């Protein structure tokens, strides 16, 4: 009898030992069906971190121009996907960052050419404008932008930012086609984009302007004038001549506010004058 009890105790101890060994192998090591083989611990390799693609895509109209090129660069600096439109489908800029812009071939006077460029776009920033005869100025500043506004609205674009121009009193009469075109585009924008349309009305925009291989530093004149005239707001209310005292604004400030208006969902719609541009360019978006 003692022998039987001794065997039972020995058998139980062996079973408990095997169970403990199995528990250790389960907690620390994998095992296979072969009772005599224990696999090595699982090795979990960390996946390579891939940055998410940009969720905002901007279409900058007039991206080859003075203001438009600064808008493109500002948007790229914010990590946004940026596209632009040109008649050749290529950039005329010689800066290295311009290769990061997606260039489409098109003409704003033909709305059909805008469809491909507007695909997947969340916001449009139009810097299109120009001078010439009254009829050509109206076509460039008015008709071309109106076509873009209508096409963007039909495509379901959320926000449209238009770089317009401040009133300059008597100058408005001298450049009638220019200002009539600008105001016609503004009216269309506020109609088609009542909650996502933003109009920037800067005065003289200064910065380093490239003309061919030459670079013209407009800041030599513009920067001192801005410092002086930004404190003469009351004088701009004088009829006819008062608007001539509207302070200049740096092109980088215009670009910064345009990109912010295109991407900040709480940026208020409507008209932003030169003082508003100065203010928003100094305040960081929330």
């Amino acid at each position: 009898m003692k022998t039987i009890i001794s065997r039972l105790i020995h058998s139980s101890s062996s079973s408990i030992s095997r169970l403990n060994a199995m528990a250790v192998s389960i907690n620390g090591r994998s095992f296979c069906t072969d009772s005599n083989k224990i696999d090595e611990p699982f090795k979990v390799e960390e996946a390579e971190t891939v940055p998410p693609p940009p969720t905002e895509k901007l279409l900058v109209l007039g991206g080859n121009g003075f203001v438009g090129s600064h808008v493109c660069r500002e948007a790229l600096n914010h990590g946004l996907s940026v596209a632009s439109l040109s008649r050749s489908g290529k950039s005329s800029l010689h800066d290295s960052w311009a290769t990061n812009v997606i260039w489409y071939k098109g003409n704003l006077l033909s709305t059909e050419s805008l469809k491909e460029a507007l695909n997947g776009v969340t916001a449009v920033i139009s810097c299109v404008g120009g001078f010439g005869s009254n009829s050509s100025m109206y076509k460039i500043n008015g008709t071309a932008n109106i076509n873009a506004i209508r096409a963007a609205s039909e495509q379901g674009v959320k926000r449209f930012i238009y770089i317009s121009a401040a009133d300059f009193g008597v100058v408005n009469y001298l450049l009638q086609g220019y200002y009539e075109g600008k105001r016609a585009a503004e009216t269309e924008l506020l109609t088609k984009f009542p909650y996502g349309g933003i109009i920037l009305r800067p005065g003289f925009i200064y910065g380093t302007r490239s003309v061919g291989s030459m670079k013209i530093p407009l800041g030599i004149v513009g920067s001192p004038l801005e410092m002086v005239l930004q404190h003469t707001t009351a004088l701009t209310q004088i009829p006819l001549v008062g608007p001539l005292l509207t302070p200049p604004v740096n092109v980088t400030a215009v670009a910064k506010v345009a990109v912010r208006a295109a991407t900040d969902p709480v940026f208020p719609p409507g008209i932003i004058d030169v003082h508003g541009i100065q203010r928003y360019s100094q305040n960081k978006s929330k």
Side-chain angles (χ1 to χ4, degrees), residues 204 206 217-231 247-248:
F204 170 64
Y206 68 88
L218 299 178
I220 294 176
V221 176
S223 183
L225 278 177
E226 181 181 17
M227 294 182 65
V228 173
L229 296 179
Q230 66 181 340
H231 303 295

Side-chain angles (χ1 to χ4, degrees), residues 164-234:
S164 187
D167 286 318
F168 275 102
V170 294
V171 177
N172 291 27
Y173 297 100
L174 300 175
L175 299 173
Q176 189 174 356
Y178 179 87
Y179 279 96
E180 285 182 355
K182 291 284 189 185
R183 298 302 172 250
E186 290 182 1
T187 301
E188 186 69 20
L189 177 58
L190 295 178
T191 301
K192 295 293 186 182
F193 289 86
Y195 304 108
I198 295 100
I199 298 164
L200 304 186
R201 283 187 179 177
F204 170 64
I205 302 175
Y206 68 88
T208 302
R209 183 187 290 266
S210 297
V211 180
S213 59
M214 294 178 58
K215 292 187 179 295
I216 305 174
L218 299 178
I220 294 176
V221 176
S223 183
L225 278 177
E226 181 181 17
M227 294 182 65
V228 173
L229 296 179
Q230 66 181 340
H231 303 295
T232 60
T233 306

Side-chain angles (χ1 to χ4, degrees), residues 98-252:
T99 59
N100 296 321
V101 177
I102 305 168
W103 295 92
Y104 292 94
K105 184 177 181 179
N107 185 345
L108 290 182
L109 297 177
S110 172
T111 54
E112 288 297 318
S113 64
L114 280 168
K115 290 184 177 180
E116 183 183 2
L118 285 168
N119 187 35
V121 168
T122 53
V124 175
I125 301 175
S126 177
C127 310
V128 174
F131 298 95
S133 66
N134 278 326
S135 60
S136 64
M137 285 192 292
Y138 186 90
K139 185 181 293 185
I140 296 169
N141 297 283
T143 306
N145 284 297
I146 291 171
N147 287 345
I149 291 166
R150 290 175 179 174
S153 177
E154 293 173 0
Q155 198 79 2
V157 174
K158 298 177 183 178
R159 301 174 80 80
F160 196 110
I161 290 77
Y162 176 44
I163 311 297
S164 187
D167 286 318
F168 275 102
V170 294
V171 177
N172 291 27
Y173 297 100
L174 300 175
L175 299 173
Q176 189 174 356
Y178 179 87
Y179 279 96
E180 285 182 355
K182 291 284 189 185
R183 298 302 172 250
E186 290 182 1
T187 301
E188 186 69 20
L189 177 58
L190 295 178
T191 301
K192 295 293 186 182
F193 289 86
Y195 304 108
I198 295 100
I199 298 164
L200 304 186
R201 283 187 179 177
F204 170 64
I205 302 175
Y206 68 88
T208 302
R209 183 187 290 266
S210 297
V211 180
S213 59
M214 294 178 58
K215 292 187 179 295
I216 305 174
L218 299 178
I220 294 176
V221 176
S223 183
L225 278 177
E226 181 181 17
M227 294 182 65
V228 173
L229 296 179
Q230 66 181 340
H231 303 295
T232 60
T233 306
L235 296 177
T236 60
Q237 305 304 314
I238 300 174
L240 296 179
V241 297
L244 294 174
L245 299 176
T246 299
V249 63
N250 195 312
V251 66
T252 57

